[in-house]
Amino acid sequence: MIKDIVLKIIEEKPNCCDDCITKIGDFKSRQQVNKRCNKLVEKGFIFREKNKCIICENLKITNIITSSGVNELNTLEEKKKDKRSAVLEKENFGRFNINFEFKWNSLFEDENLEFLFPIDLNKEAKKKHSSPSVYRWILINPEGKKLQDVYIGEASELTRRIYNYLKPGESQKTNSRLNKLFTELLNLGYNISLQKLSFKPFYLGEYEINENSLENKLTRRFVEHMMASYYLNAGYNLINA
């Protein structure tokens, strides 16, 4: 799937570098894209050369699709069309049951030190929690009781999102709003804790969704909205908006 997305980006943006492909595809890391590009070269679907990137305009190793790569994309698209047609012909209505087992895990600087706003994570913790994630902020009052106020979000790279909460940019309205709210609550003696969602693989019909699936932005948002809806119906006050 990642290979197909990378190949499609290269077709649409010839002479683009790995860094720009990473940004466009919202991938976890540049290394992930570089690995896929090298495999595409081995299969003859693209070739790489030092050139000016069409997007960032820097002199880098860029990627150009070959005729074999174009044929591969056309074949993939035909397969998708055939699969969609088969599904549509088979049924106009569908149904799936979700058996979703999940757990919220606090983030730790080390074995004994829990991460609390506004302390930044150390290097080791940043590396550990850099993966795509669904997360929640919880507010704990001075008596140590968790409030009914939570914020549930998603991020392609959790550690980068944490940094944006700690040091929001001028255009980051949600990050700035929460930073202000959390700072005010800290002054009143509250603790602000961040937790990361883990869950067992589950199925949407015949399709398995697992934690690796969170690399896809639509899947992350699906899980995020499912959890937000769950807590909203459970009587929690969501401070997402």
Side-chain angles (χ1 to χ4, degrees):
M1 182 178 179
I2 295 176
K3 178 207 71 175
D4 301 341
I5 296 173
V6 170
L7 191 58
K8 185 65 177 176
I9 292 173
I10 294 172
E11 180 193 38
E12 296 175 350
K13 304 289 184 181
N15 272 316
C16 58
C17 68
D18 294 358
D19 290 315
C20 291
I21 293 174
T22 303
K23 292 178 182 178
I24 294 172
D26 194 24
F27 293 111
K28 178 181 176 181
S29 66
R30 179 186 180 282
Q31 289 74 17
Q32 183 183 38
V33 171
N34 181 264
K35 182 178 179 180
R36 295 307 188 281
C37 287
N38 287 330
K39 286 187 177 180
L40 289 172
V41 170
E42 292 175 3
K43 293 183 178 181
F45 294 155
I46 68 170
F47 66 92
R48 290 157 68 82
E49 64 180 13
K50 194 168 186 179
N51 207 335
K52 185 178 180 180
C53 175
I54 192 175
I55 300 173
C56 67
E57 298 185 346
N58 292 322
L59 188 62
K60 295 182 176 181
I61 299 297
T62 62
N63 303 279
I64 300 95
I65 195 168
T66 64
S67 57
S68 296
V70 173
N71 292 335
E72 174 70 7
L73 282 177
N74 291 336
T75 300
L76 290 171
E77 185 59 32
E78 288 300 319
K79 287 181 178 179
K80 289 179 182 178
K81 287 181 180 178
D82 292 342
K83 188 174 183 179
R84 288 195 296 266
S85 297
V87 171
L88 289 172
E89 290 173 3
K90 183 178 180 181
E91 56 184 33
N92 291 323
F93 299 94
R95 181 180 68 183
F96 53 79
N97 298 316
I98 298 178
N99 182 20
F100 190 67
E101 297 183 46
F102 65 92
K103 180 181 178 181
W104 292 104
N105 301 296
S106 297
L107 273 63
F108 285 86
E109 289 276 354
D110 53 43
E111 293 183 358
N112 301 311
L113 182 61
E114 181 181 0
F115 166 77
L116 296 173
F117 181 91
I119 301 172
D120 198 5
L121 294 170
N122 59 36
K123 287 185 178 181
E124 184 177 344
K126 284 181 178 179
K127 184 177 181 180
K128 181 179 179 181
H129 300 294
S130 62
S131 59
S133 306
V134 174
Y135 62 90
R136 71 174 182 177
W137 290 103
I138 58 173
L139 314 180
I140 305 172
N141 65 19
E143 287 75 37
K145 297 180 180 179
K146 296 178 182 178
L147 299 183
Q148 293 292 97
D149 298 280
V150 298
Y151 178 92
I152 297 175
E154 59 83 17
S156 60
E157 186 179 336
L158 183 56
T159 51
R160 182 173 60 186
R161 183 60 55 85
I162 292 172
Y163 177 84
N164 290 336
Y165 283 121
L166 300 178
K167 298 179 180 179
E170 293 182 2
S171 62
Q172 297 173 331
K173 294 183 179 179
T174 298
N175 295 340
S176 297
R177 176 176 64 84
L178 290 179
N179 180 281
K180 181 180 178 182
L181 173 63
F182 292 167
T183 301
E184 291 173 351
L185 291 174
L186 284 174
N187 292 332
L188 295 175
Y190 290 82
N191 284 327
I192 315 297
S193 175
L194 182 67
Q195 297 180 329
K196 181 178 177 181
L197 181 70
S198 64
F199 57 88
K200 293 183 179 180
F202 66 98
Y203 286 84
L204 293 179
E206 61 183 294
Y207 307 107
E208 180 183 292
I209 305 295
N210 53 52
E211 292 188 18
N212 291 329
S213 305
L214 296 180
E215 290 187 357
N216 182 285
K217 189 171 185 178
L218 288 176
T219 302
R220 288 199 309 273
R221 287 186 171 180
F222 170 76
V223 176
E224 172 200 12
H225 293 164
M226 181 169 64
M227 297 308 298
S229 178
Y230 172 80
Y231 283 102
L232 184 65
N233 282 283
Y236 284 73
N237 176 41
L238 294 181
I239 56 176
N240 290 54

